[in-house]
């Protein structure tokens, strides 16, 4: 027994020793990374630093690396447009020093020092000796072989001189005269790349949707005699060997091809990834070096006169442009930030992103690979003059070599908006084994037309380029609260249904508001240059976020209104490209809401799962919502759709009751109490329920409201907008249970100009005061077929007295005529703020503006002087105060500063649209038009309100 135990223990020890030895061999055969810097904005390493001038200059001190030195309190700030506006262009340089050690046993290794990004020209020395030629270009990874420069087992000194302004003028035009913030510094990580002497320098892989694999393996090893490949999962589990069908070796490159079986393809909806393990073998089949490459199997085809295809499916880009940026760190980001941004894009139901206007951090592309976004990868140029060919060739090579294996990348962008050097167009294919096609963003080029910022009538698409695949690589340019979601519904209806449209890319993802260390930490967007995001600088969700989420929902529900005849049927279209609709889930909730004095929670009346139909992509069908017993007693129906991963696609809300039905159950117009009325000195005074109302005897406008001696500053209304009719009579009727004040305007012609038979009617205002203090208002206004301006009424209430608002209606964001989607019908509550979207405040949702589908609103006063209004009329907008416009010089044509009506709190039947940075709303589609077509109606427009003070 003792012998058996001894044998078992011996075997275990031997197995452990073998495993450790094998692990050591494997580690010996792999590339090791040793960071000299930190890994991002939240993980920096202190290096010695000297700045030539500006903040904290002309002295040696410490700086965190990676970073943009301005955000660390050094040098000077510049925006790319500063030169054209006559501002000084700062050209300080920075000197970096960092000591590091390497072990003795690395002397048998091949060692590179890798810089992921330096702004702008970098001269690198190791132990006083140049590592190689000066690198030019900010956004490109570069490396030097430094094995011969190192002292093994000793301390080594790294020195880097960084010139913020390049010695190459074409680099400055491309990167530093552009429409974005420009910084200086080692802004991306720096590390040592340690490999065996016989090593794989790099790998380029083309993995097709049918499982075919082609790879270029670069190695100059003289010992290398063969290649082995196998697939594993991302967790390391081996899946299958790849039998190599062909292998060709020439000029330091192995071209191999093989076939993988039973693979799952990669696409933006189902981003299946694998790890391709590549082993460089000697003659004894021993592993010299192994390399892991994360890949996705997918096939890209750009079919001329047809569309962009991924894995045989024609796709439409639901995309956005994105800068690598964070307010407190500039261009230095982090893996966590990349994941956060990609998750937000996916949450908005986007499927694509354009790298504007330079290659991003590697971890951003990795996030696109793993979470599923199509990518346009771009070389940094800005208008003209373009990059010179010599430096451009290097930059293209560095871009493609670094990014070639990311399945998310579908196209290369050779610069931006005329910035392309056409001599470089063919260079991408030299380094790209997949031979992806090249774009000229905003240009007609090869098979595509990517023209920027089209007006709505682009969709006539009848020019000489009408056979080109059209997708604007920038459209609906955001500025403050304009663009993005405003206009998207109109544009997307055309893009989705136009055969040659491949979608488009909104400009842009986030406000580039930088922290100004030199200005007490204020956030600076350089006027209107960088206030153009869907989200705020720190990721705050602006209103367009939710609009985009609804418009770009891959589960499209046809417009539906729930009336008493509702049969439970909804028409639906599958707007996925690769997913059957029955892979998604949907929940129906029938809900009721509390009163203005209740809480904000939902009361779920009934909840059920919905069986979504078996619909392949692009197919249409119906689904049925079960109607529970007594469903008419619910206030609203919510439909929440979830994707195959359980993430919310969108929640649609449908009011069931009319405003009057909801409010009748909340209001008490009892006859308890006494009413006193007197008319004196031109004022009608009515006392009721402890409230004193004063009205003008001449106009019946509300002059003042007092409750228990406290002034409630709601007055000067109702003023009917654009109203010129003269008052015919004002009558006071004292009844047993109420007092009525009725104003009748002169009878005027309401018929069209061309009509032979004339019809006349009078507008009316009717106040009703009840014994318990409730005040009801009914206004009748002649209808009009075509309306310019506003139809509705307004009152005064000083903004200085408002502290917040609680309401039942659409929210929580304000709306514009061409940005109605993205809201949800429920009880909302917002505190007062004076946010100027994208410019100041940065508190969202914005408090002031237009809010749709008003049922009731409780306006909170700062001095116990608020009130509640019940809106008993359907399809009424609440105007809550007047938003502060951006600085006038930043919106000189008022494209994103719609004109608000007089007054402070209004109730209207129509609202204005909002434009973009470059477009008036009238050029953005039907919903953007300044004319409202109401149609012909024999009945007047009615607004019925009840006030509770």
């Amino acid at each position: 027994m003792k012998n058996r135990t001894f044998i078992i223990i011996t075997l275990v020890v031997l197995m452990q020793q073998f495993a450790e030895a094998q692990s050591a061999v494997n580690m010996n055969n792999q590339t090791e990374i040793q960071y000299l810097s930190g890994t991002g904005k939240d993980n920096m390493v202190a290096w010695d630093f000297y700045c030539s001038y500006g903040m904290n200059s002309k002295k040696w001190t410490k700086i965190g690396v990676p970073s943009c030195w301005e955000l660390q309190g050094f040098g000077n700030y510049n925006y790319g447009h500063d030169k054209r506006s006559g501002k000084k262009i700062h050209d300080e340089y920075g000197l970096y020093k960092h000591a590091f050690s390497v072990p003795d046993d690395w002397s048998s290794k091949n060692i590179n020092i890798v810089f992921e990004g330096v702004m702008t020209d970098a001269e690198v020395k190791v132990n006083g000796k140049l590592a190689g030629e000066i690198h030019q270009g900010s956004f490109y990874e570069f490396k030097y072989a430094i094995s011969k420069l190192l002292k093994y087992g000793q301390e080594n000194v790294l020195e880097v001189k960084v010139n913020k302004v390049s010695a190459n003028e074409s680099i400055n035009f491309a990167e530093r005269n552009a429409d974005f913030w420009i910084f200086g510094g080692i802004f991306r990580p720096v590390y040592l790349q340690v490999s065996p002497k016989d090593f794989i320098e790099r790998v380029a892989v083309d993995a097709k949707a049918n499982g075919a694999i082609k790879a270029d393996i670069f190695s100059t090893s003289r010992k290398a005699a063969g290649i082995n490949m196998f697939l594993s999962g991302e967790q390391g589990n081996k899946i299958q060997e790849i039998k190599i069908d062909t292998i060709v070796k020439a000029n330091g490159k192995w071209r191999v091809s093989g076939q993988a079986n039973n693979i799952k393809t990669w696409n933006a909806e189902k981003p299946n990834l694998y790890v391709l393990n590549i082993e460089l073998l000697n003659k004894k089949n021993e592993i010299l070096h192994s390399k892991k490459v994360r890949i996705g199997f997918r096939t890209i085809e750009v079919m001329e006169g047809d569309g962009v295809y991924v894995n045989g499916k024609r796709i439409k880009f639901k995309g956005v442009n994105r800068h690598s940026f964070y307010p407190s760190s500039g261009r230095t980001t982090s893996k966590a930030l990349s994941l956060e941004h990609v998750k937000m894009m996916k949450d908005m139901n986007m499927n694509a992103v354009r790298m504007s206007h330079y290659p991003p951090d590697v971890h951003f592309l990795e996030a696109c690979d793993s979470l599923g976004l199509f990518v346009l990868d771009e070389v940094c140029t800005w208008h003209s003059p373009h990059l010179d060919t010599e430096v451009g060739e290097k930059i293209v090579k560095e871009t493609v070599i670094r990014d070639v294996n990311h399945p998310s990348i579908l196209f290369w962008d050779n610069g931006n908006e005329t910035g392309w050097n056409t001599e470089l167009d063919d260079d991408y294919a030299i380094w790209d084994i997949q031979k992806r096609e090249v774009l000229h963003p905003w240009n007609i080029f090869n098979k595509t037309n990517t023209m920027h910022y089209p007006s709505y009538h682009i969709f006539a698409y009848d020019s000489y380029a009408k056979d080109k695949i059209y997708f604007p690589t920038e459209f609906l340019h955001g500025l403050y609260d304009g663009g993005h979601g405003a206009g998207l519904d109109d544009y997307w209806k055309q893009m989705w249904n136009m055969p040659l449209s491949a979608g488009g890319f909104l400009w842009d993802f986030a406000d580039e508001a930088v922290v100004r260390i030199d200005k007490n930490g204020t956030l600076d967007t350089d006027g209107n240059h960088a206030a153009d995001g869907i989200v705020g600088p720190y990721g705050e969700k602006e209103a367009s976020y939710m609009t985009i989420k609804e418009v770009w929902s891959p589960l499209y529900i046809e417009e539906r209104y729930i009336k008493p005849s509702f049969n439970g049927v909804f028409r639906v279209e599958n707007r996925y490209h690769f997913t059957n609709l029955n892979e998604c889930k949907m929940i129906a909730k029938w809900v009721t809401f509390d009163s203005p004095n209740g809480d904000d929670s939902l009361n779920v009346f009934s909840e059920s799962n919905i069986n979504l139909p078996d619909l392949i992509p692009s197919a249409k069908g119906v689904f049925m919502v079960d109607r529970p017993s007594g469903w008419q007693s619910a206030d609203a129906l919510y439909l929440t759709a979830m994707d195959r991963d359980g993430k919310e696609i969108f929640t649609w809300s449908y009011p069931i009751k009319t405003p009057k039905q909801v409010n009748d159950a909340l209001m008490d117009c009892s006859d308890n109490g006494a009413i006193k009325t007197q008319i004196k000195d031109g004022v009608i005074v009515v006392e009721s329920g402890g409230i004193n109302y004063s009205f003008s005897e001449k106009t019946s406008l509300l002059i003042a409201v007092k409750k228990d001696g406290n002034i409630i500053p709601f007055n000067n209304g109702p003023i009917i907008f654009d109203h010129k009719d003269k008052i015919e009579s004002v009558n006071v009727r004292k009844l047993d249970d109420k007092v009525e004040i009725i104003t009748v305007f002169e009878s005027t012609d309401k018929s069209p100009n061309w009509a032979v038979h004339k019809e006349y009617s009078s507008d009316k205002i009717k106040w009703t005061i009840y014994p318990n203090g409730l005040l009801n208002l009914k206004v009748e206004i002649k209808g009009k077929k075509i309306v310019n301006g506003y139809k509705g009424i307004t009152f005064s209430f000083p903004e200085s007295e408002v502290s917040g608002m609680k309401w039942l209606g659409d929210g929580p964001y304000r709306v514009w005529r061409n940005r109605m989607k993205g809201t949800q019908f429920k009880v909302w509550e917002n505190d007062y703020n004076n946010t100027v979207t994208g410019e100041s405040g940065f508190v969202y949702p914005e408090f002031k503006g237009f809010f749709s589908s008003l049922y009731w609103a409780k306006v909170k006063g700062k001095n116990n002087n608020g009130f509640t209004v019940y809106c008993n009329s359907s399809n009424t907008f609440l105007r809550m105060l007047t938003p502060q416009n951006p600085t006038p010089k930043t919106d000189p044509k008022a494209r994103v500063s719609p004109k608000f009506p007089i007054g402070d709190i209004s109730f209207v039947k129509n609202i204005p649209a909002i434009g973009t940075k470059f477009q008036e709303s009238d050029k953005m589609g039907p919903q953007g038009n300044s004319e409202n077509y109401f149609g012909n109606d024999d009945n007047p427009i009615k607004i019925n309100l009840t006030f509770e003070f």
Side-chain angles (χ1 to χ4, degrees), residues 318 349 549 552-556 573-576 581 649:
K318 299 184 292 184
N349 292 312
K549 185 176 175 69
W552 276 350
S553 167
L555 190 156
Y556 174 77
E573 179 181 0
N574 182 358
R575 290 188 171 180
Y576 279 109
L581 205 62
I649 298 171

Side-chain angles (χ1 to χ4, degrees), residues 105-139:
D105 59 5
W106 279 14
S107 60
S108 62
K109 303 284 188 178
N110 183 81
I111 303 173
N112 291 328
I113 186 168
V114 180
F115 293 80
E116 292 192 359
V118 179
M119 291 181 181
T120 298
D121 288 2
E123 178 187 81
V124 179
K125 293 181 180 179
V126 177
N127 296 323
K129 296 181 180 179
L130 279 172
E133 66 177 6
I134 293 174
H135 183 269
Q136 296 177 322
S138 299
F139 304 100

Side-chain angles (χ1 to χ4, degrees), residues 518-551:
D518 57 343
K519 295 182 178 180
N520 298 316
T522 58
L523 286 171
D524 185 1
T525 58
D526 198 55
N528 67 0
H529 290 142
D532 44 17
I534 299 166
V535 301
Y538 290 103
E540 304 93 334
K541 295 177 183 178
E542 299 175 16
S544 279
Y545 185 103
M546 297 306 298
T547 305
I548 294 163
K549 185 176 175 69
E550 179 174 2
V551 173

Side-chain angles (χ1 to χ4, degrees), residues 660-910:
K660 190 173 188 310
Q661 288 173 326
V662 169
N663 293 335
D664 279 349
L666 301 176
M667 297 183 299
D668 178 15
C669 298
S670 67
D671 56 3
N672 295 327
I675 303 178
K676 296 180 180 179
T677 305
Q678 66 173 332
I679 302 173
K680 184 179 180 181
D681 298 329
V683 178
I684 306 167
V685 178
V686 181
E687 295 182 33
S688 170
I691 303 172
N692 184 297
Y693 297 106
S694 297
F695 304 88
S696 166
E697 184 185 13
K698 184 178 179 181
T699 64
S700 81
L701 294 184
L702 182 64
I703 297 174
V705 180
K706 290 183 181 179
K707 182 176 182 180
D708 300 327
N710 186 36
I711 295 175
I712 297 173
F714 182 75
N715 52 51
N716 195 31
I719 294 174
I720 301 173
F721 291 123
D722 300 327
H723 199 254
K724 298 179 181 179
D725 294 354
K726 295 178 181 179
I727 293 175
E728 189 173 273
S729 63
V730 176
N731 293 310
V732 179
R733 298 178 62 197
K734 302 175 185 178
L735 306 175
D736 292 339
D737 58 348
K738 57 192 172 186
V739 171
E740 296 177 343
I741 304 172
I742 302 171
T743 303
V744 179
F745 291 86
E746 64 181 344
S747 182
T748 55
D749 182 15
K750 69 173 185 178
S751 54
N753 294 333
W754 47 263
V756 176
H757 174 71
K758 299 298 182 182
E759 294 187 35
Y760 293 83
S761 67
S762 298
D763 294 342
K764 298 181 179 67
I765 296 173
K766 179 181 178 183
W767 291 104
T768 303
I769 304 96
Y770 294 95
N772 63 353
L774 281 184
L775 175 66
N776 181 257
L777 170 66
K778 293 180 181 178
V779 178
E780 295 185 1
I781 312 168
K782 284 185 289 294
K784 196 174 181 181
K785 178 182 177 181
I786 302 173
V787 175
N788 291 283
Y790 292 92
K791 277 291 184 182
I793 59 175
T794 191
F795 293 85
S796 296
F797 194 101
E799 183 174 334
S800 60
E801 292 296 320
V802 179
S803 66
M805 176 176 71
K806 180 179 179 180
W807 77 102
L808 174 59
D810 293 337
Y813 293 96
R814 68 189 182 197
V815 295
W816 302 106
R817 187 187 180 196
N818 56 349
R819 196 186 69 199
M820 292 290 293
K821 290 191 173 181
T823 58
Q824 189 177 113
F825 179 76
K826 63 181 291 191
V827 175
W828 298 101
E829 189 163 5
N830 287 347
D831 292 332
Y832 172 87
N833 64 65
N834 192 33
T835 291
V836 179
T837 311
E839 182 177 270
S840 63
F842 300 103
V843 177
Y844 301 100
E846 301 93 337
F847 182 78
K848 299 183 284 186
F850 294 104
F851 296 85
S852 54
S853 300
L854 177 67
Y855 276 53
W856 54 256
K858 184 175 184 179
V859 180
K860 299 179 180 180
K862 289 182 178 178
N863 298 292
N864 195 30
N865 54 1
F867 65 93
T868 299
V869 58
Y870 299 90
C871 178
N872 306 306
S873 303
S874 298
N875 303 315
T876 302
F877 296 91
L878 169 66
R879 175 275 193 96
M880 174 52 63
L881 304 175
T882 300
Q884 180 179 323
N885 284 331
T887 307
K889 67 179 182 180
T890 65
D891 185 25
K893 297 186 178 180
R895 289 168 172 158
V896 294
S897 304
K899 185 178 180 181
F900 269 63
I902 60 171
D904 301 304
I905 296 177
S906 311
F907 306 89
V908 295
K909 292 298 184 179
N910 63 300

Side-chain angles (χ1 to χ4, degrees), residues 300-358:
I300 309 163
E301 298 171 284
V302 184
M303 307 290 285
E304 189 168 8
D306 186 351
V308 178
Y309 285 76
V310 175
N311 305 337
K313 304 292 186 181
R314 188 166 67 174
I315 64 167
K316 291 184 186 286
F317 295 118
K318 299 184 292 184
V320 69
N321 288 263
R322 185 246 187 198
H323 275 294
S324 300
F325 179 80
Y326 195 72
S328 59
S329 59
R331 302 273 172 243
T332 302
T333 67
S334 66
K335 182 177 181 179
L337 185 67
S338 289
L339 286 168
E340 178 187 335
H341 283 186
V342 172
K343 287 178 180 179
M344 291 176 81
M345 293 172 193
K346 294 289 288 185
D347 186 54
M348 283 186 277
N349 292 312
M350 293 177 174
N351 67 3
V353 59
R354 177 188 175 209
M355 302 296 95
S356 52
H357 291 289
Y358 41 80

Side-chain angles (χ1 to χ4, degrees), residues 607-619:
E607 181 175 330
S608 61
N609 293 320
I610 294 172
N611 293 319
L612 290 172
D614 179 2
L615 292 179
I616 63 172
S618 299

Side-chain angles (χ1 to χ4, degrees), residues 621-661:
V622 299
F623 64 84
M624 175 72 72
V625 175
D626 292 334
R627 294 164 294 166
S629 176
W631 65 269
Q632 298 94 333
S633 63
D635 292 330
L637 169 64
Y638 286 175
L639 299 179
T640 300
M642 291 158 289
D643 67 16
R644 57 198 296 272
D645 297 318
K647 295 182 176 64
E648 184 195 71
I649 298 171
F650 192 73
T651 294
W652 293 264
S653 54
Y654 302 90
I656 295 170
K657 295 176 182 174
T658 66
K660 190 173 188 310
Q661 288 173 326

